[in-house]
Amino acid sequence: MSAFLNLEGKKALVTSGTRGAGAATVRLLRELGAEVLTTARTRPANIAEADFVTADLTTAQGCADLAAAVQHRLGTPDILVHMLGGSSAPAGGFAALDDGQWQRELDLNLMPAVRLDRALLPQMVARGSGVIVHVTSIQNRLPLPDATTAYAAAKAALSTYSKSLSKEVSPRGVRIVRVSPGWIATEASVHLAERLGAEHGGGVEAGKQLIMQALGGIPIGRPAHPEEVASLIAFLVSERAGSITGTEHVIDGGTIPTA
């Protein structure tokens, strides 16, 4: 266990914790002493049944089932990390997005956090302590018009919701923070690069270049590693960050231009 960060005795829920930055966050929180429950639509063989809840969080029923499982297994959680997100929207700009696609992006990137907070946050407020991390995206400020308009809009909605929630519950002992990653080296980001490359007559490397160009470049020359995102989250949910609330913490290799 790290001498700098100690989450011994804390109880945490991390959504979408089976791959990428979510899996890295689950691993690190456990290394730091927390009891961690995670969830996805299917349980991978390398995750114990006791540490996992099968749920489709794009539905109201899936969120309700997960909240009930958290209350049964953990009681009142100390930490909620909303990692779930992504996009399946086609390229082609606004005209390629019908009502169904817009709804799917909202159901994946906004509503799970809203529904789970509504179910679990009152217990944290009643106890007077806890921390919630909403993982947004730099695309709420730098959307890719050809491919991620609906995703970016949903993440912007999540960010605005987080700001309002923080103003309401921070005075009552629950911190709300946002982590806003840029490009992370995950399986999902590789799939996005493959899809973009194919739609423009190239391969995955062409897709990566399209992403880099659309973002305006990454000054450090690479995407973030999942473990780097996990380390930021671990700090923010720890007592070391006890006075941090209502803020957005960007981890993007310098992609967002600074003043």
Side-chain angles (χ1 to χ4, degrees):
M1 183 183 303
S2 169
F4 179 73
L5 296 180
N6 184 351
L7 299 178
E8 188 71 35
K10 299 295 185 181
K11 298 178 180 180
L13 169 67
V14 178
T15 66
S16 192
T18 60
R19 330 181 261 191
T25 300
V26 169
R27 288 193 301 270
L28 182 54
L29 297 188
R30 285 179 179 152
E31 289 173 7
L32 296 172
E35 180 183 355
V36 184
L37 195 64
T38 192
T39 182
R41 288 174 176 161
T42 58
R43 179 175 64 87
N46 64 340
I47 297 181
E49 188 172 351
D51 299 327
F52 189 84
V53 178
T54 301
D56 179 0
L57 299 186
T58 65
T59 69
Q61 188 60 54
C63 290
D65 291 345
L66 175 59
V70 169
Q71 292 166 340
H72 176 69
R73 298 193 199 184
L74 299 180
T76 300
D78 302 288
I79 299 164
L80 301 181
V81 182
H82 295 289
M83 298 290 305
L84 182 63
S87 177
S88 61
F94 77 94
L97 302 171
D98 60 18
D99 284 0
Q101 189 63 60
W102 273 102
Q103 191 62 57
R104 283 189 288 275
E105 298 297 291
L106 292 168
D107 285 342
L108 179 61
N109 293 289
L110 172 65
M111 293 310 298
V114 171
R115 288 165 173 154
L116 289 171
D117 289 348
R118 189 167 57 217
L120 298 172
L121 179 54
Q123 306 166 39
M124 301 167 80
V125 169
R127 186 184 56 199
S129 66
V131 57
I132 296 176
V133 178
H134 291 140
V135 178
T136 61
S137 169
I138 64 167
Q139 290 200 36
N140 66 40
R141 297 166 63 184
L142 286 178
L144 303 178
D146 185 56
T148 65
T149 293
Y151 168 78
K155 286 298 191 181
L158 177 61
S159 181
T160 300
Y161 160 68
S162 301
K163 294 176 187 178
S164 183
L165 189 64
S166 176
K167 290 181 178 180
E168 181 178 0
V169 303
S170 291
R172 300 160 75 180
V174 181
R175 296 190 293 115
I176 310 292
V177 294
R178 286 163 286 146
V179 169
S180 185
W183 187 13
I184 308 173
T186 65
E187 291 181 14
S189 70
V190 171
H191 291 159
L192 174 60
E194 290 174 342
R195 177 162 60 89
L196 290 175
E199 289 168 352
H200 288 80
V204 63
E205 292 303 319
K208 289 180 180 180
Q209 289 303 313
L210 287 169
I211 294 171
M212 292 280 285
Q213 292 167 12
L215 292 173
I218 300 177
I220 67 169
R222 63 169 177 83
H225 300 309
E227 293 76 16
E228 293 170 328
V229 178
S231 294
L232 175 58
I233 291 171
F235 170 72
L236 290 171
V237 303
S238 75
E239 294 182 0
R240 296 271 182 174
S243 63
I244 297 177
T245 190
T247 49
E248 178 181 16
H249 301 269
V250 175
I251 177 167
D252 69 351
T255 304
I256 296 286
T258 56

